[in-house]
């Protein structure tokens, strides 16, 4: 709390020192905008009261009673629209002044471009800080006004805000993990407290009118509206400051001369890598195993060793555990928060009861703090040597061809993801024009556009196979005493028409065609396959991958072979 307050003050002093006039202008304009917003809500209430009265009520200002009722209604209606338009105009002016102030701040900082969207982040942060400052000033002015017209309401509001603040600080101090939970739901929690605070002030107003000595009605209406605005501004003030503090590293690097992005990023933060430290592993691994195995696992009986992973922000550990004096092995994966979808996609496949997948058996998943964790059976072994890697990769691809997908998994995938023939459409192929060099290549792309729907129709009739995009040496594992390789990473699996993901050179395609021939006994959908369509599937998949990596020249280079196979009926054979 002290750290964030101190940092917020230093950031504000920096803004006031570099652009004092523009900062104060934004604060004043923001306060005026908030007043205009308040009046645009307040005046309609007066209009409704006038519409329901025969004349001008006694509690209205005396000057109003001298004006004709209908004229007063029209005048107040025009004023309401005027304040609404004024609020819009003030917001536009605030945006212009903010842009100029941000440019001035960036010039004075004398920093090179440190990260993407640097100017946008600087502008949004400066505007957020100015808005937070304006909210604070507005709250103080509102409480000062309430002090004169309804001092008891000031006591209620300040007491409520103080009590809520003490409760929040106490909860964060005495309950482990409460600070993280509050940080993740800060906006909804504060807005809820703001709403409860308004009803507290409303309840006090009712009690005051029934049992105590209330102010005049018009002051009560103003007090109720102001209390709502005060609570809203307090909530927005806290949210703005919290949002700025989350950007502390970047803002320090942008605005402060003595701070660099590298030094600030080296500050230790709670992440999945903290859990992977040698001293931490056994504790959380035992928790994960206890949850998945539904038995109490002693951390002292667990040994966890690092296993190399090629997927960023996904860590793997090979775990040995003495269960009833028997040594058992497990593979545990833990995923950074931004890889949660990766983890869920992997567990969806491995928990689907799909047979013959070259993967370790998935036992279950657990949540360690905010990180998803998967537990698998494991067998000691090794990563294949560079010499045997190519053969092992081909064997895995051949094994995937034999996997006959169950209907429930295909239906689940169909409802969730597009197939190759649905992804590579005319809109997708427009990217190819970026890699065109000369009229000959342009003619090839144009020809592909004319027949892409026919190609996709042919691919949609092909049998479906399981595809894993992470078939590489580091993802392969050869268990001791076994010649077949296991794939460790399944976070990017997909279902595609046969041929997709298979290399499209002649030798590899011949291997694929022979595998289709030999697989007819096990897969009935292999009985009638156009081998040309299988080759087209392979090339089109490679074209999609090249486009996704912005290798458009490489994609265009695939077109002659693709178009030749589409147009040449003489090369088409039936299996």
């Amino acid at each position: 709390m002290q750290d964030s307050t101190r940092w917020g003050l230093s950031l504000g002093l920096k803004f006031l020192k570099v652009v004092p006039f523009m900062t104060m202008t934004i604060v004043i304009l923001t306060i005026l905008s908030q007043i205009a917003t308040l009046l645009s809500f307040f005046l309609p209430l007066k209009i409704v009261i006038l519409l329901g009265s025969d004349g001008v009520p006694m509690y209205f200002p005396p000057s109003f009673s001298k004006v004709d009722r209908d004229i007063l209604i029209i005048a107040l209606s025009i004023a309401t629209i005027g304040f609404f338009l004024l609020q819009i105009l003030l917001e536009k002016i605030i945006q212009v002044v903010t842009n100029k102030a941000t440019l001035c701040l960036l010039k004075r900082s004398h920093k090179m471009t440190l990260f993407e969207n640097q100017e946008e982040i600087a502008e949004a942060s400066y505007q957020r800080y100015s808005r937070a400052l304006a909210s604070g000033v507005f709250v103080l002015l509102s409480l000062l006004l309430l002090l004169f017209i309804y001092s008891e309401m000031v006591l209620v509001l300040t007491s409520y805000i103080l009590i809520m603040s003490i409760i929040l600080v106490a909860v964060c101090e005495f309950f482990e993990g409460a600070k993280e939970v509050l940080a993740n739901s800060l906006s909804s929690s504060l807005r809820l407290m703001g709403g409860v605070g308004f009803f507290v002030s409303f309840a006090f107003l009712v009690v005051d009118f029934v049992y105590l000595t209330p102010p005049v009605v018009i002051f009560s209406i103003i007090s109720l509206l102001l209390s709502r605005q005060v609570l809203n501004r307090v909530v927005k003030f806290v949210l703005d400051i919290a949002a700025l503090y989350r950007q502390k590293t970047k803002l320090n690097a942008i605005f402060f001369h003595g701070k660099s992005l590298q030094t600030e990023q080296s500050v230790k933060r709670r992440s999945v890598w903290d859990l992977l430290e040698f001293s931490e592993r056994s504790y959380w691994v035992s928790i994960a195993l206890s949850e998945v195995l539904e038995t109490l696992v002693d951390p002292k009986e667990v040994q966890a060793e690092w296993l190399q992973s090629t997927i960023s922000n996904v860590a793997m550990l090979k775990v040995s555990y003495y269960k009833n004096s028997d040594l058992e092995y497990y593979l545990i994966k833990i995923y950074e928060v931004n890889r949660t979808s990766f983890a869920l996609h992997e567990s969806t496949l491995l928990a689907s009861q799909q047979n013959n997948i070259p993967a370790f058996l998935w036992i279950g998943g657990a949540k360690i703090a905010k990180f998803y964790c998967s537990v698998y059976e494991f067998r000691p072994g090794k990563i294949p040597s560079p010499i045997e890697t190519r053969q092992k990769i081909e064997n895995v691809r051949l094994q995937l061809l034999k996997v006959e997908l169950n209907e429930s998994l295909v239906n689940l995938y169909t409802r969730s993801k597009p197939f190759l023939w649905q992804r590579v459409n005319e809109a997708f192929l427009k990217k190819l024009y970026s890699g065109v060099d000369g009229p000959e290549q342009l003619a090839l792309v144009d020809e592909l556009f004319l027949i892409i729907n026919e190609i996709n129709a042919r691919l949609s009739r092909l049998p479906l196979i399981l595809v894993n995009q992470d078939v590489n040496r580091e993802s392969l594992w050869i268990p001791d005493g076994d010649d077949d390789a296991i794939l460790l990473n399944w976070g990017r699996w997909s279902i595609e028409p046969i041929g997709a993901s298979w290399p499209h050179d002649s030798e590899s395609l011949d291997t694929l065609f022979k595998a289709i021939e030999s697989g007819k006994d096990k897969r009935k959908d292999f009985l009638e396959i156009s081998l040309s369509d299988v080759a087209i599937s392979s090339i089109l998949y490679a074209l999609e991958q090249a486009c996704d990596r912005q290798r458009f020249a490489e994609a265009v280079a695939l077109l002659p072979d693709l178009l030749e196979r589409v147009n040449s009926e003489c090369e088409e054979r039936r299996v």
Side-chain angles (χ1 to χ4, degrees):
M1 180 70 73
Q2 292 179 353
D3 181 52
S4 59
T5 303
R6 186 165 52 250
W7 177 80
L9 289 174
S10 64
L11 185 63
L13 290 173
K14 181 70 175 180
F15 291 157
L16 289 171
K17 181 180 178 181
V18 179
V19 284
F21 176 75
M22 284 186 276
T23 301
M24 294 310 301
T25 300
I26 293 173
V27 170
I28 293 170
L29 291 176
T30 304
I31 292 172
L32 292 176
S33 174
Q34 292 170 358
I35 293 172
T37 302
L38 183 62
L39 289 173
S40 66
F41 282 108
F42 175 65
L43 291 179
L45 294 176
K46 284 200 167 190
I47 294 170
V48 171
I49 293 172
L50 284 171
L51 290 172
S53 306
D54 294 331
V56 178
M58 294 295 295
Y59 50 81
F60 273 52
S63 57
F64 282 21
S65 60
K66 299 176 183 178
V67 183
D68 181 74
R69 173 179 169 275
D70 293 339
I71 294 175
L72 184 59
I73 291 172
I74 294 172
L76 291 176
S77 300
I78 294 172
T80 300
I81 297 172
F83 282 119
F84 176 72
L85 295 175
L86 176 62
Q87 185 263 338
I88 295 175
L89 177 62
L90 290 172
E91 290 297 326
K92 293 291 184 183
I93 297 173
I94 290 170
Q95 186 62 49
V96 172
V97 177
T98 299
N99 292 340
K100 291 183 178 180
T102 304
L103 289 175
C104 184
L105 284 165
L106 289 174
K107 287 180 181 179
R108 287 289 299 273
S109 65
H110 301 294
K111 296 287 185 76
M112 66 174 68
T113 300
L114 302 171
F115 44 81
E116 191 177 356
N117 300 327
Q118 177 172 311
E119 291 188 7
E120 290 81 355
I121 291 174
E123 180 182 329
S125 299
Y126 175 72
Q127 185 173 5
R128 193 185 295 275
Y129 193 93
S130 301
R131 189 173 60 202
L133 186 59
S135 294
V137 175
F138 180 83
V139 168
L140 292 176
L141 293 176
S142 299
L143 291 176
L144 189 62
L145 177 60
L146 282 174
L147 196 61
F148 286 100
I149 65 175
Y150 199 175
S151 58
E152 291 85 353
M153 185 63 76
V154 175
L155 181 62
V156 171
L157 288 173
T158 53
S159 298
Y160 177 78
I161 294 171
L162 183 61
I163 290 170
M164 288 295 104
S165 301
I166 293 172
I167 291 174
L168 286 177
V169 171
V171 168
C172 292
E173 284 292 329
F174 295 106
F175 292 95
E176 185 178 356
K179 186 179 293 186
E180 186 173 336
V181 172
L182 180 61
N184 293 333
S185 60
L186 185 62
S187 178
S188 57
S189 299
L190 291 180
R191 294 185 193 282
L192 175 63
M193 291 178 188
V196 172
F198 173 72
F199 283 108
V200 168
S201 60
F202 175 73
F204 171 76
L205 185 68
V206 172
V207 171
D208 200 10
F209 264 85
V210 174
Y211 299 107
L212 304 173
T213 54
V216 295
V217 174
I218 194 67
F219 285 168
S220 299
I221 296 174
I222 293 173
S223 299
L224 197 60
L225 289 173
L226 275 178
S227 66
R228 180 67 169 175
Q229 288 297 314
V230 164
L231 291 167
N232 282 342
R233 294 302 157 187
V234 169
V235 168
K236 289 182 178 180
F237 175 84
V238 176
L239 291 177
D240 285 336
I241 296 299
L244 286 169
Y245 193 73
R246 283 194 292 269
Q247 297 272 9
K248 178 182 177 181
T249 299
K250 292 182 177 180
L251 295 182
N252 281 348
I254 293 173
F255 295 120
F256 293 96
H257 290 287
K259 302 287 185 178
S260 65
L261 187 63
Q262 181 179 2
T263 56
E264 288 298 317
Q265 284 184 332
S266 65
V267 176
K268 186 177 180 180
R269 297 180 301 170
R270 191 65 180 172
S271 72
V272 70
W273 304 108
D274 298 328
L275 295 177
L276 290 165
E277 292 179 6
F278 184 75
S279 59
E280 297 283 339
R281 291 179 195 170
S282 298
Y283 174 70
W284 66 263
V285 164
S286 65
I287 295 175
L289 287 177
S290 298
E291 184 172 339
V292 171
L293 301 178
E294 298 182 352
T295 186
L296 186 61
V297 175
D298 188 347
K300 296 178 182 179
E301 298 177 347
V302 169
Q303 184 176 357
E305 299 178 12
W306 174 260
L307 185 62
Q308 189 67 30
S309 170
T310 57
I311 310 299
S312 63
N313 291 328
V314 177
M316 296 192 298
L317 296 173
K318 46 184 178 180
V319 177
S320 55
Y321 163 55
Y322 282 96
K323 183 179 180 182
N324 300 325
S325 300
D326 295 326
L327 184 61
E328 296 187 355
Y329 295 96
Y330 299 94
L331 172 68
I332 291 188
K333 291 186 182 181
I334 188 164
Y335 306 80
E336 185 61 271
V337 174
N338 63 354
R339 285 293 189 180
T340 301
S341 60
F342 190 94
L344 296 176
H345 190 57
E346 180 170 285
S347 60
T348 297
L349 171 68
L350 300 181
S352 65
Q353 307 301 317
Q354 178 64 57
N355 297 323
N356 301 323
I357 298 178
F360 285 120
L361 178 66
W362 182 80
I363 303 175
K367 201 74 176 288
I368 305 298
K370 59 183 177 181
F371 308 110
Y372 189 85
C373 179
S374 290
V375 181
Y376 307 80
E377 286 186 355
F378 186 72
R379 291 164 58 193
K382 64 175 183 176
I383 295 174
S385 67
I387 297 175
E388 59 183 345
T389 294
R390 181 176 179 180
Q391 185 60 49
K392 296 300 180 184
I393 288 177
E394 186 175 284
N395 291 344
V396 166
R397 288 200 178 104
L398 291 172
Q399 190 172 349
L400 289 176
L401 285 178
K402 301 175 185 177
V403 177
E404 193 164 2
L405 300 168
N406 62 51
E407 185 178 356
S408 61
L409 181 64
V410 173
N411 290 337
L412 177 64
Y413 190 89
T414 303
R415 291 192 296 269
S416 309
K417 304 272 188 178
F419 294 103
L420 176 63
W421 65 81
Q422 296 168 324
R423 299 193 304 269
V424 184
N425 50 30
E426 292 178 353
F428 179 86
L429 291 176
K430 286 182 180 179
K431 300 176 183 179
L432 282 177
Y433 284 109
S434 302
V436 168
D437 293 319
E440 293 182 1
Q441 291 186 351
L442 180 61
L444 292 174
V445 177
D446 288 339
E447 185 179 352
L448 179 60
F449 264 86
L450 293 176
I451 61 174
I452 187 60
N453 291 331
E454 176 193 342
I455 292 174
N456 286 332
R458 290 166 66 170
L459 297 188
S460 67
R461 294 190 289 268
L462 288 173
L464 297 174
I465 61 169
L466 184 63
V467 169
N468 188 326
Q469 295 184 41
D470 294 310
V471 181
N472 51 57
R473 178 171 176 262
E474 288 76 13
S475 289
L476 293 174
W477 187 259
I478 304 177
D480 293 338
D482 199 339
D483 197 44
D484 293 331
I486 294 290
L487 278 174
L488 298 177
N489 294 312
W490 285 91
R492 295 196 297 167
W493 68 272
S494 61
I495 296 176
E496 304 290 0
I498 188 170
S501 81
W502 199 275
H504 54 84
D505 61 275
S506 298
E507 183 181 349
S508 297
L509 287 176
D510 286 341
T511 302
L512 174 58
F513 296 157
K514 291 176 183 177
I516 292 173
E517 176 70 29
S518 63
K520 288 188 300 182
D521 295 337
K522 295 184 178 180
R523 291 193 60 168
K524 301 303 181 185
D525 51 359
F526 281 8
L527 290 176
E528 288 192 5
I529 296 179
S530 166
L531 296 184
S532 289
D533 288 351
V534 174
I536 290 168
S537 174
S538 173
I539 299 170
L540 196 67
Y541 185 87
L543 185 146
E544 181 198 25
Q545 296 295 305
C547 286
D548 285 342
R549 294 192 295 270
Q550 297 184 11
R551 297 178 178 177
F552 300 123
E554 180 182 316
V556 171
L558 296 170
L559 294 184
D561 188 18
L562 175 64
L563 295 173
E564 182 182 353
R565 291 181 182 275
V566 172
N567 297 325
S568 180
E569 295 292 332
C570 64
E571 291 187 7
E572 183 174 334
R573 294 175 291 155
R574 294 285 177 180
V575 177

